[in-house]
């Protein structure tokens, strides 16, 4: 392969067949006027677009399954897929699978820890060890910094955890949501909105002790049974749906 070094002689990158090269047998190198590195290999010609700040990762670098979420954590890239969680190691062109045999839906960093939502549980990862917080379907994670709570939503409803007290369960809201379609906080009201695929949209308002939950459905202009997703656009809360872009008034 090809080693890339800094001015101190330290190896910063290794490009090989795992990075997409045709072969690790490098015969000759050439840098063109645009900074691209051309390689004559034992199996044809490869080009490294080193001047472009983009990287393309495939199963050749150790990833498996369908990509669901990506998060930068403790200096490396974490990728959640349909078959587990993968962490970037050594060269940035290599990933290894962590000991988590779950479909990973969402990743969220809270107080220097990584929270992992999966099809069968909520986990916390400190960079070394994985611990289980709860055994339930979790498709979306939202950290409410104002109240130091974590809202985890999934197929069976929403669970609220106390971040300060070691993620103890504060509150549960049981309802068949189909799938959670994401969470957003209204910058003006402070309300937290959770979109679903089957149950319209939910609004959570903290009263100092727990969240008061309000459901919005057909009578409110939300088509129950179709997906709806809360998003922030120019610091304004909007709702994307199968029938257009909505706003709440």
């Amino acid at each position: 392969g090809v080693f890339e070094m800094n001015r101190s002689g330290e190896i910063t990158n290794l490009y090989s067949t795992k990075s997409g090269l045709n072969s690790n047998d490098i015969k000759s190198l050439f840098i063109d006027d645009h900074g691209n590195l051309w390689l004559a290999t034992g199996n044809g010609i490869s080009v490294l677009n080193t001047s472009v700040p983009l990287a393309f990762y495939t199963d050749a670098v150790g990833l498996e399954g369908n990509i669901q979420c990506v998060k930068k954590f403790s200096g490396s890239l974490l990728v959640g897929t349909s078959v587990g969680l993968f962490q970037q190691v050594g060269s940035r062109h290599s990933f290894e699978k962590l000991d988590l045999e779950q479909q990973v839906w969402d990743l969220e960093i809270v107080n220097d820890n990584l929270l992992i939502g999966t099809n069968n549980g909520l986990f916390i990862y400190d960079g070394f060890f994985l611990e289980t917080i709860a055994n339930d379907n979790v498709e979306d994670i939202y950290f409410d910094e104002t109240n130091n709570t974590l809202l985890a939503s999934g197929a069976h409803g929403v669970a609220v955890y106390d971040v300060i007290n070691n993620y103890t369960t504060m509150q549960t809201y049981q309802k068949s949501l189909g799938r959670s379609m994401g969470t957003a906080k209204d910058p003006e009201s402070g309300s937290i909105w959770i979109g679903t695929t089957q149950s319209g949209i939910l609004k959570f308002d903290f009263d100092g002790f727990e969240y008061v939950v309000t459901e919005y459905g057909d009578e409110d202009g939300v088509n129950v049974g179709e997906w709806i997703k809360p998003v922030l656009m120019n610091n304004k809360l909007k709702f994307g749906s199968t029938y257009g872009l909505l706003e709440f008034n």
Side-chain angles (χ1 to χ4, degrees):
V2 177
F3 292 91
E4 182 179 359
M5 296 184 291
N6 59 24
R7 293 182 181 275
S8 300
E10 300 167 326
I11 297 175
T12 57
N13 272 308
L14 167 62
Y15 302 98
S16 65
T17 52
K18 288 186 176 181
S19 313
L21 297 185
N22 294 334
S23 168
N24 288 329
D25 181 16
I26 309 301
K27 306 293 187 182
S28 181
L29 308 174
F30 172 75
I31 299 177
D32 65 22
D33 294 338
H34 301 288
N36 300 310
L37 179 63
W38 293 81
L39 310 173
T41 78
N43 190 34
I45 297 175
S46 294
V47 60
L48 294 176
N49 303 114
T50 55
S51 60
V52 179
L54 296 173
F56 181 60
Y57 298 116
T58 67
D59 54 2
V61 300
L63 294 176
E64 301 172 20
N66 299 320
I67 308 300
Q68 307 286 359
C69 51
V70 179
K71 185 73 72 174
K72 190 75 175 287
F73 175 68
S74 294
S76 64
L77 206 62
L78 275 292
V79 180
T81 81
S82 56
V83 299
L85 184 64
F86 296 80
Q87 184 170 15
Q88 197 175 36
V89 293
S91 164
R92 65 190 180 99
H93 299 289
S94 180
F95 288 81
E96 68 177 11
K97 189 177 182 181
L98 299 183
D99 187 21
L100 184 64
E101 298 293 331
Q102 306 281 349
Q103 176 161 326
V104 178
W105 288 110
D106 196 18
L107 302 171
E108 183 70 32
I109 296 174
V110 179
N111 298 337
D112 298 324
N113 290 312
L114 183 71
L115 277 294
I116 307 160
T118 77
N119 65 320
N120 197 31
L122 177 64
F123 300 86
I124 186 169
Y125 179 56
D126 63 2
F128 301 96
F129 302 102
L130 272 168
E131 294 184 25
T132 304
I133 295 176
N135 295 308
D136 203 357
N137 175 271
V138 176
E139 296 167 342
D140 187 77
I141 306 169
Y142 182 81
F143 176 43
D144 183 2
E145 296 184 53
T146 304
N147 301 300
N148 275 307
T149 57
L150 189 82
L151 285 79
S153 54
H156 308 126
V158 183
V160 180
Y161 301 95
D162 186 340
V163 173
I164 294 178
N165 292 312
N166 201 30
Y167 295 94
T168 55
T169 304
M170 288 178 54
Q171 180 182 354
T172 57
Y173 175 80
Q174 294 184 336
K175 188 177 181 68
S176 178
L177 304 183
R179 276 198 60 190
S180 174
M181 291 300 295
T183 307
K185 188 171 189 176
D186 188 340
E188 297 180 357
S189 67
S191 299
I192 296 173
W193 296 79
I194 298 176
T196 77
T197 60
Q198 288 185 4
S199 301
I201 194 160
L202 309 175
K203 180 166 71 79
F204 285 69
D205 292 292
F206 195 67
D207 65 3
F209 298 96
E210 64 178 9
Y211 287 92
V212 178
V213 185
T214 307
E215 299 179 11
Y216 293 91
D218 293 321
E219 65 278 9
D220 306 298
V222 177
N223 289 352
V224 173
E226 298 186 31
W227 70 266
I228 183 166
K229 180 180 178 67
V231 294
L232 291 179
M233 300 177 63
N234 297 322
N235 215 34
K236 297 289 185 180
L237 183 69
K238 306 289 183 183
F239 300 92
S241 72
T242 54
Y243 43 94
L245 190 64
L246 311 175
E247 59 183 9
F248 179 76
N249 52 46

